[in-house]
């Protein structure tokens, strides 16, 4: 992906064209939005959770392991002073009868999530005004 086009669609609503898909965002009511779509930061967190999830799913699928009952919940712990997330915990529920010998492997697979890796090795950011 080379670029993402952003459109200001009214109020606090903003859309991003990502390939053939349109992502819609809005701000919560307390920040002047209408809460008609997820906030941008919520999409960021959602991308982290779904990225980890697809790595877990692919791990199982590639080994023909059961996926019924596979579930993932991501918990965000906030640092009240900094008003930032200080810890993210992935709670992975494995299917019944999931082979114990694959437990460390599925964890390693989830750690390969591209979103998480980009957080650890953040890109440089710049803003150019036209």
């Amino acid at each position: 992906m080379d670029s993402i086009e952003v459109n200001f669609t009214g109020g606090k609503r903003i859309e991003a064209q990502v390939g053939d898909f349109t992502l819609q965002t809005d701000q919560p009511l307390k920040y002047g939005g209408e809460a008609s779509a997820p906030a941008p930061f919520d999409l960021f967190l959602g991308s982290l959770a779904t990225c980890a999830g697809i790595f877990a799913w692919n791990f199982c699928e590639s080994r023909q392991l059961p996926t019924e009952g596979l579930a993932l919940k991501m918990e965000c712990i906030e640092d009240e002073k900094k008003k930032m997330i200080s810890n993210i915990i992935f709670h992975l529920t494995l299917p019944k009868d999931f082979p114990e010998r694959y437990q460390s492997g599925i964890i390693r697979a989830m750690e390969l999530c591209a979103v998480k890796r980009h957080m650890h090795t953040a890109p440089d950011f710049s803003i150019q005004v036209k």
Side-chain angles (χ1 to χ4, degrees):
M1 172 182 328
D2 295 319
S3 65
I4 296 175
E5 295 289 330
V6 172
N7 297 303
F8 301 91
T9 58
K12 303 283 182 165
R13 292 182 309 276
I14 298 177
E15 293 180 349
Q17 192 65 38
V18 182
D20 293 334
F21 300 98
T22 301
L23 301 178
Q24 298 180 346
T25 69
D26 196 359
Q27 290 295 307
L29 296 172
K30 69 180 181 178
Y31 295 122
E34 297 175 9
S36 64
F41 192 70
D42 295 335
L43 288 180
F44 166 71
L45 293 175
S47 71
L48 181 59
T50 56
C51 185
I54 196 63
F55 274 80
W57 180 270
N58 286 343
F59 180 88
C60 293
E61 189 176 58
S62 69
R63 289 160 184 79
Q64 298 180 341
L65 296 171
T67 55
E68 185 177 335
L70 183 67
L72 179 62
K73 178 181 177 182
M74 188 176 88
E75 179 182 4
C76 300
I77 310 296
E78 186 175 330
D79 181 322
E80 294 294 327
K81 287 184 180 179
K82 294 181 182 178
K83 300 291 184 198
M84 293 184 70
I85 294 173
S86 61
N87 193 13
I88 294 176
I89 304 167
F90 292 102
H91 299 278
L92 180 66
T93 302
L94 296 173
K96 184 180 176 187
D97 300 325
F98 189 86
E100 188 175 329
R101 70 179 186 269
Y102 287 115
Q103 286 185 15
S104 62
I106 197 169
I107 291 168
R108 282 193 308 275
M110 290 175 63
E111 290 172 346
L112 295 173
C113 161
V115 178
K116 178 179 176 279
R117 289 187 301 131
H118 273 80
M119 290 177 65
H120 284 287
T121 309
D124 293 326
F125 292 88
S126 63
I127 299 173
Q128 299 176 353
V129 177
K130 294 182 180 183

